[in-house]
Every structure is written in structure tokens, then in C-alpha cells.
């Protein structure tokens, strides 16, 4: 990364705010055990405790569990699943998109029809079906989210490869006798990293929303405290205790907002021409 | 137009075919074979019953034969049997479909109309306070979990202000009929439709704004301005008609996500549609119903896509010429 890029990113107030939010969430996730040494599943006070009562920042839930502790520990699950499923989806998307764009022709046609299909079918319903059938666990959730998230990225990568394939440096590499794999991964891929990084940062946000929706429906990993689960289980007592739903949901909002802001900041910083045009 | 429609229908058939195969593979990939699962759902898992089920559903035959049977059943409208609810899955789905269609169509219309209007308003006032306000609100709505928005709206408008009903499709036992009943249903619809619509409105607002800004800098807009056309006419006739095209494309692609979102919204508002059915099926691990929901929502998505494709042709006559 060069200095121009860092300058452009740092000048974008939204992006810096996003970075601060996400940085704070990561810190809380890492320090969860230090801040709240007791398990978030354990009773910490009287049930239905209001925020700030009994020294509980965010109050307690119907079983007397500390909401603040749940929010801190829930950050781990959200970030872990967001990152892991994005990495998996990026791997699938880059591979299929690169192959389709590099080889073109019938293979490209076939792969793109396949990709379109995954963009059309109702994503969330498919995730719910997969996780329900294979029983909810961190692994099944990550796999299911990755399976429904790679398609847009594959199309993006394919487009980049299609336009880069005919450039001189690729022709030169072919003339030098480099193999297809070398050209794909060493020559072309490094040249389309910026759009991939931008989409990946937005995909983490979407994955976190998906995971929280699954947990909200009761399809989260039963061994991990998560934000969606907290909102889902507090839903029935919304009238008596707003704070049980409010804080975990607000944590999701902040995290996703931060990631989206970072994604947009990266996009602007990677495309200086676009940025200038927007200001004009 | 006819050829265009036929082309789209063929594409739709392919998508649904793949969904059917996917469904078939999923039920077979599940831990334990379908007979054990069914026996479990029926509440009796002894070996004889399992064997009997296996024979009854042809599970002792080769996989491709089973796929053939499965497909022919679906073509006849047989989507399996829910042992939990003791009813055919197709019946369960048909019961719930209207409520979901009403909810998603209303939310879709609200999101598209509101998103295009707000996006255009932001683009026309680029850099001014209206633009900033719309951009910030869209950014926030886009980051909020849809079910949480629903709960917060209930908290404000039902619990605190008492203006709107918090859940259900109509007031039970109120005995409304005719117009009064329609009004009652409409009141129940406001919060769910707003919840589902807001998120997607944010998506379309952002897209319309970006695309309207791009169109505004093009030569034909300058020409229109040079000819002395009124600003209103330039925005509605020249900018809007061109800026709307990419938004329609995305709206079609996102129909699937909208329907997925309705599962969450229906769960929050106890709306008696497919979403509620899904939530109950998840709790009871009723796989037949879940797979049925996946199939029916895919049909809905494909239908939404055909509608948006037709809309696209109506808005942009160039598309058909190009085909």
C-alpha cells in the first residue's frame, strides 16, 4: 500500500470512523475474558435487572445473565463467523471467477450460468435449510454462509480477468512460457486485488448479518453466546425489558455499519478518479 | 415480446429444476437417511417401521430412480408429507402463501418507489443537507438487522405510543367485515411492511443516487439543459428514465433476499405466512416443510424476476431491439 492510498483513506471521515468502530469491536472481542471473566451463560444478578442497576452496565436478562458480558462474548462469534465465511467465499469466488474469465468460451458460459443460479435462489432460505439439516454448529454455519455468498464476487473477478487477459503483460507472460496457474495467480490476480478487497470487507458485514439472523431463529451454534441469539430469546419479553433486545441488536448495527464504512472508504481510496468525479 | 417471455420462462424452468435436484440432494445428504428422519418425525423409530417407510418411499432403489420419482411427484404438485403437522406439505404452503405474497409485494413496492424517489432527491441536491441526511439514514438502515428494526418499531409504535397493533394479521374476535376488515388488516400491515421495506429502500436509495449522478454528467443532459428545458423535465424525462435501469436489474436479483427477509419479519410480527411456517419447521426440525419452503420461495423469486424483466423492457425499449 502506498502513501497516496493511506492519505486518501485517512481523509475519508466515514472510513476512519468505521475503522475506529471495528477496531473497538475487535478489542472488546479479544478482551472479553478479561472484562467479564465469568461465563456469559452464568447468573450474575437478579433477573430483569435494568441497565446500570446493580453495577450491570446493560442490565440482566430473564435468567439474571449479564447482558454486557453476552455482548462482549458475542462479538467473538460474529467476527469469527464473518471472517471465516468470507475467506471461504472469497476462495470459491476468486477461483471460479478467475477460471471463467481466463479461459472464456464454453467453460465461462457454464460457470456463469451456475453463478447466476446461486444469485437467483433465495439465499437466506437456503442457509436456513442447510444449517437446520446439518445441525447448527460453527462449521455448518460458516459453510452455509460461504455457499450463498461467493456468487457476486465470482462475477466481479471474471469481469476483471476478462479485461486483463488481453493486456500486454499477460501476453508477455504467455510468450515467456509461464503456465496457466502462474499467470492466473502471479500475474493477473495481483492486479485485481483492490475490487476483491473492497467486496470482501462488505461481505464480512453481510455474513455477520446472516449469522445473527440465523441465531435469531434459533439456528446458531448452541455452545456460543451470540448477538442474534440474545435478541431472539429476549423477543418474548420485549414489553417488560427493552434492554435485552436493544443492546445486542445495537452491537450488530455498529459492527456492520463500521465494516460498510471501511468498505466504502477502501473503494474510494482505490479509485482516485471516481472520488474526484464525485466531488466535482 | 413473446419470444422474450418464452426465453425468460425457459430460464425460470432451469432454475427451478436445479432447486428440485438440490432439495433432493439435501434431504439425502442429511445425517441419517430420510426414512429414519421420517420415522423420527412420526414419533416411532423401530426398525420395522423404518424398513416399511423405506419400501413405501422407494428408498431401497438406486438414487437416480429415486430422483425420477421425486421429480414426477413435484410435477404433480406433491411436495411430501409433514408427519409433524399430519398434512401434505403443499397444503401447508398454499395456506400460508397469500399472506407472504401480500407482505413481500407491498414491501417491494414501498422499497422500490421510496428508494427511487429518495435517491433521486439526494442526487438532485448533491452536497446539500437533504443529500447528507438521506445518505446517512440509508447507511444506517442498510446496517441494521431487519428483525431488530421490527422489534424496535414495535417498542415505539405499539408498546409506548399504542398507535399500531404489534402482531398478527387482523384483530381476532373483532368481528370486522367488509371495508372495516380491510382497514383492520391494513393497520396490521403497516409495521411489518415498513420493517421489510426500509432495509431494501436503503439499498435502492443508494443505487439510484449513484446512478442518477452518473447519468447527470452525460452529454444528453447537458444538451437538454442547453435547449432550455425545465429542471423538472430534465430530471424526470432524461435522468430518471436512464438512472432507473440498473436499479431495476438489482431489484430483480434481490427479490430472493427480500423473501428471505420476510421470514424474519413474519417471525417478529407473528404474520401468518411462509416465514412463520419456516420458523415453526426450524423449531420442530420438520425438513419436508423446510425443503417445501425453499422450493416455493424459489418459485416466487423466479416470478419476481420475470416481472422485473418485463418492467425493464417497458422502461427501456432498446433492450428488446438488442435481443
Amino acid at each position: 500500500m502506498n502513501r497516496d492510498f493511506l492519505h486518501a483513506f485517512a481523509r475519508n471521515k466515514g472510513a476512519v470512523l468505521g475503522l475506529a468502530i471495528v477496531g473497538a469491536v475487535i478489542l472488546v472481542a479479544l478482551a472479553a475474558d478479561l472484562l467479564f471473566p465469568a461465563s456469559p451463560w452464568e447468573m450474575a444478578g437478579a433477573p430483569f435487572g435494568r441497565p446500570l442497576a446493580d453495577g450491570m452496565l446493560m442490565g440482566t436478562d430473564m435468567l439474571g445473565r449479564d447482558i454486557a458480558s453476552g455482548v462482549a462474548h458475542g462479538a467473538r462469534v460474529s467476527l469469527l463467523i464473518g471472517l471465516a465465511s468470507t475467506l471461504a467465499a472469497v476462495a470459491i469466488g476468486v477461483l471460479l471467477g478467475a477460471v471463467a474469465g481466463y479461459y472464456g468460451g464454453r467453460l465461462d458460459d457454464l460457470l456463469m450460468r451456475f453463478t447466476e443460479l446461486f444469485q437467483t435462489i433465495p439465499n437466506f432460505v437456503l442457509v436456513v435449510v442447510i444449517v437446520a439439516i446439518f445441525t447448527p454448529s460453527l462449521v455448518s454455519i460458516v459453510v452455509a454462509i460461504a455457499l450463498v455468498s461467493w456468487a457476486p464476487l465470482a462475477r466481479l473477478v471474471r469481469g476483471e480477468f476478462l479485461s486483463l487477459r488481453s493486456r500486454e503483460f499477460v501476453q508477455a507472460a504467455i510468450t515467456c512460457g509461464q503456465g496457466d496457474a502462474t499467470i492466473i495467480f502471479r500475474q493477473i490476480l495481483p492486479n485485481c486485488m483492490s475490487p476483491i478487497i473492497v467486496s470482501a470487507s462488505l461481505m464480512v458485514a453481510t455474513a455477520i448479518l446472516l449469522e445473527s439472523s440465523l441465531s435469531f431463529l434459533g439456528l446458531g451454534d448452541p455452545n456460543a453466546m451470540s448477538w442474534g441469539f440474545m435478541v431472539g430469546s429476549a423477543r418474548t419479553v420485549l414489553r417488560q425489558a427493552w434492554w435485552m433486545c436493544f443492546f445486542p441488536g445495537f452491537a450488530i448495527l455498529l459492527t456492520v455499519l463500521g465494516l460498510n464504512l471501511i468498505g466504502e472508504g477502501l473503494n474510494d481510496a482505490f479509485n482516485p478518479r471516481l472520488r474526484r468525479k464525485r466531488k466535482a | 415480446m413473446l419470444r422474450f417471455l418464452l426465453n425468460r420462462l425457459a430460464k425460470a424452468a432451469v432454475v427451478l429444476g436445479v432447486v428440485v435436484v438440490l432439495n433432493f440432494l439435501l434431504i439425502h445428504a442429511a445425517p441419517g437417511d430420510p426414512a429414519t428422519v421420517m420415522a423420527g418425525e412420526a414419533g416411532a423409530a423401530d426398525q420395522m417401521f423404518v424398513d416399511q417407510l423405506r419400501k413405501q418411499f422407494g428408498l431401497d432403489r438406486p438414487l437416480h430412480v429415486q430422483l425420477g420419482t421425486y421429480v414426477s411427484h413435484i410435477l404433480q404438485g406433491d411436495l411430501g408429507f409433514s408427519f409433524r403437522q399430519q398434512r401434505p406439505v403443499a397444503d401447508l404452503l398454499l395456506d400460508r402463501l397469500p399472506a407472504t405474497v401480500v407482505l413481500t409485494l407491498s414491501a417491494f413496492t414501498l422499497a422500490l418507489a421510496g428508494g427511487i424517489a429518495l435517491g433521486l432527491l439526494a442526487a438532485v441536491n448533491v452536497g446539500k443537507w437533504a443529500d447528507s441526511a438521506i445518505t446517512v439514514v440509508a447507511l444506517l438502515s442498510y446496517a441494521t438487522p431487519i428483525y431488530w428494526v421490527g422489534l424496535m418499531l414495535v417498542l415505539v409504535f405499539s408498546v409506548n405510543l399504542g398507535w399500531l397493533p404489534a402482531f398478527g394479521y387482523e384483530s381476532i374476535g373483532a368481528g370486522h367485515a367488509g371495508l372495516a376488515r380491510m382497514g383492520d388488516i391494513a393497520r396490521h400491515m403497516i409495521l411489518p411492511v415498513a420493517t421489510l421495506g426500509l432495509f431494501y429502500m436503503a439499498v435502492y436509495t443508494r443505487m439510484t443516487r449513484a446512478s442518477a449522478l452518473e447519468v447527470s454528467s452525460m452529454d444528453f443532459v447537458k444538451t437538454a439543459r442547453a435547449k432550455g428545458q425545465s429542471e423538472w423535465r430534465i430530471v424526470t424525462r432524461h435522468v430518471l428514465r436512464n438512472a432507473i435501469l440498473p436499479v431495476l436489474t438489482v431489484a430483480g436479483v434481490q427479490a430472493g433476499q427480500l423473501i428471505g427477509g420476510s421470514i424474519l419479519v413474519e417471525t417478529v410480527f407473528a404474520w401468518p405466512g411462509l416465514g412463520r411456517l419456516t420458523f415453526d419447521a426450524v423449531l420442530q426440525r420438520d425438513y419436508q416443510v423446510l425443503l417445501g419452503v425453499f422450493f416455493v420461495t424459489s418459485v416466487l423469486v423466479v416470478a419476481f424476476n420475470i416481472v422485473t424483466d418485463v418492467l425493464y423492457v417497458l422502461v427501456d425499449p432498446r433492450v428488446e431491439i438488442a435481443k
Side-chain angles (χ1 to χ4, degrees):
Chain A
M1 285 195 213
N2 56 34
R3 281 183 54 197
D4 275 355
F5 171 82
L6 289 177
H7 270 282
F9 189 83
R11 246 181 295 147
N12 185 330
K13 278 183 215 143
V16 174
L17 177 67
L19 205 60
I21 295 174
V22 175
V25 174
I26 293 175
L27 272 184
V28 169
L30 289 176
D33 279 334
L34 291 175
L35 295 169
F36 304 97
S39 155
W41 299 97
E42 263 170 39
M43 229 175 123
F48 289 95
R50 291 191 152 269
L52 295 177
D54 291 337
M56 307 281 182
L57 188 63
M58 301 179 185
T60 57
D61 70 2
M62 49 276 185
L63 296 175
R65 294 178 294 210
D66 186 358
I67 304 268
S69 169
V71 168
H73 283 92
R76 294 180 166 188
V77 177
S78 288
L79 292 177
L80 183 72
I81 289 185
L83 277 177
S85 55
T86 299
L87 282 180
V90 166
I92 306 173
V94 165
L95 199 65
L96 289 187
V99 167
Y102 184 75
Y103 292 104
R106 280 227 190 115
L107 186 63
D108 177 32
D109 259 2
L110 192 75
L111 285 176
M112 279 307 109
R113 289 295 91 77
F114 185 64
T115 309
E116 253 173 42
L117 206 101
F118 267 86
Q119 276 191 296
T120 324
I121 51 181
N123 282 352
F124 183 61
V125 185
L126 183 57
V127 171
V128 166
V129 171
I130 294 178
V131 174
I133 287 184
F134 293 95
T135 61
S137 69
L138 287 179
V139 174
S140 71
I141 294 170
V142 166
V143 169
I145 294 180
L147 271 181
V148 301
S149 310
W150 59 268
L153 188 74
R155 289 177 78 101
L156 182 99
V157 172
R158 174 212 176 236
E160 294 285 321
F161 266 70
L162 217 51
S163 73
L164 288 173
R165 186 177 55 169
S166 52
R167 296 271 286 271
E168 284 94 350
F169 72 92
V170 180
Q171 300 299 325
I174 295 173
T175 319
C176 289
Q178 293 191 349
D180 285 352
T182 317
I183 297 177
I184 289 177
F185 292 109
R186 291 278 182 83
Q187 302 286 355
I188 306 184
L189 192 58
N191 281 292
C192 51
M193 278 320 277
S194 41
I196 295 177
I197 292 174
V198 170
S199 328
S201 65
L202 298 174
M203 279 161 78
V204 177
T206 317
I208 288 179
L209 276 181
L210 268 176
E211 186 279 331
S212 84
S213 306
L214 278 175
S215 322
F216 173 77
L217 289 179
L219 284 172
D221 186 315
N223 302 313
M225 182 61 88
S226 78
W227 293 336
F229 166 77
M230 293 172 77
V231 178
S233 59
R235 181 163 70 88
T236 45
V237 293
L238 180 69
R239 276 162 200 279
Q240 299 92 311
W242 57 270
W243 58 91
M244 291 183 207
C245 278
F246 178 80
F247 291 112
F250 194 68
I252 303 172
L253 165 62
L254 273 183
T255 311
V256 173
L257 179 70
L259 286 164
N260 284 342
L261 285 172
I262 291 178
E264 275 182 21
L266 287 174
N267 194 27
D268 287 357
F270 278 130
N271 299 299
R273 256 182 310 141
L274 203 75
R275 195 170 67 240
R276 251 170 252 142
K277 215 165 98 187
R278 258 185 219 170
K279 280 201 179 141
Chain B
M1 190 70 186
L2 186 70
R3 247 186 81 188
F4 171 79
L5 266 181
L6 283 178
N7 179 17
R8 289 302 133 116
L9 283 176
K11 247 181 150 175
V14 173
V15 172
L16 293 182
V18 174
V19 167
V20 168
V21 175
L22 202 61
N23 260 352
F24 176 77
L25 292 178
L26 274 173
I27 196 80
H28 280 269
D33 85 336
T36 346
V37 174
M38 273 189 278
E41 282 173 9
D46 69 293
Q47 195 55 44
M48 242 177 75
F49 185 52
V50 173
D51 286 340
Q52 186 200 328
L53 278 175
R54 221 169 251 156
K55 215 171 168 104
Q56 186 187 340
F57 288 91
L59 293 170
D60 44 358
R61 278 177 278 170
L63 211 58
H64 65 273
V65 178
Q66 288 186 45
L67 178 62
T69 328
Y70 183 73
V71 172
S72 80
H73 278 177
I74 289 202
L75 287 176
Q76 294 164 34
D78 175 6
L79 293 176
F81 190 82
S82 163
F83 284 96
R84 302 260 177 199
Q85 312 222 26
Q86 288 298 320
R87 283 184 68 192
V89 172
D91 287 5
L92 286 168
L93 294 172
L94 279 179
D95 272 3
R96 303 299 190 94
L97 196 56
T100 293
V101 171
V102 167
L103 175 65
T104 44
L105 264 185
S106 316
F108 185 68
T109 314
L110 172 76
L112 202 57
I116 290 172
L118 285 177
L120 206 60
L121 189 67
V124 170
N125 296 302
V126 65
K128 297 188 194 144
W129 69 267
D131 177 33
S132 316
I134 291 174
T135 307
V136 168
V137 171
L139 201 62
L140 284 176
S141 327
Y142 187 56
T144 329
I146 206 162
Y147 52 89
W148 187 72
V149 173
L151 290 170
M152 292 303 120
L153 288 178
V154 167
L155 206 55
V156 174
F157 291 101
S158 306
V159 179
N160 282 335
L161 297 172
W163 288 351
L164 292 165
F167 58 86
Y169 182 72
E170 55 187 321
S171 309
I172 296 163
H176 293 306
L179 220 58
R181 179 162 180 239
M182 300 280 277
D184 186 43
I185 293 178
R187 268 168 51 80
H188 280 83
M189 273 177 68
I190 294 176
L191 286 184
V193 169
T195 304
L196 187 55
L198 271 180
F199 182 85
Y200 294 94
M201 199 193 284
V203 178
Y204 304 145
T205 303
R206 289 157 60 94
M207 283 211 62
T208 309
R209 179 180 178 275
S211 126
L213 281 182
E214 209 178 309
V215 173
S216 302
S217 64
M218 286 188 175
D219 286 340
F220 64 85
V221 178
K222 283 181 195 144
T223 310
R225 209 161 265 145
K227 283 195 328 198
Q229 288 197 344
S230 72
E231 202 56 28
W232 171 254
R233 201 180 152 82
I234 292 173
V235 169
T236 52
R237 286 294 173 88
H238 297 274
V239 176
L240 177 62
R241 280 199 78 163
N242 287 288
I244 211 173
L245 296 173
V247 181
L248 276 183
T249 314
V250 169
V253 173
Q254 282 196 329
Q257 291 174 34
L258 186 85
I259 289 166
S262 81
I263 292 186
L264 296 163
V265 172
E266 289 182 17
T267 305
V268 170
F269 291 98
W271 188 258
L274 291 175
R276 259 319 277 188
L277 189 69
T278 310
F279 182 70
D280 294 338
V282 164
L283 283 185
Q284 303 171 334
R285 298 288 187 268
D286 194 340
Y287 300 133
Q288 295 289 334
V289 170
L290 282 181
L291 294 174
V293 169
F294 182 47
F295 178 73
V296 169
T297 47
S298 303
V299 173
L300 281 181
V301 169
V302 166
F304 259 113
N305 273 324
I306 293 177
V307 171
T308 43
D309 280 343
V310 171
L311 273 181
Y312 200 102
V313 177
L314 292 180
V315 178
D316 187 3
R318 284 171 307 183
V319 173
E320 214 186 347
I321 298 163
K323 293 261 150 155

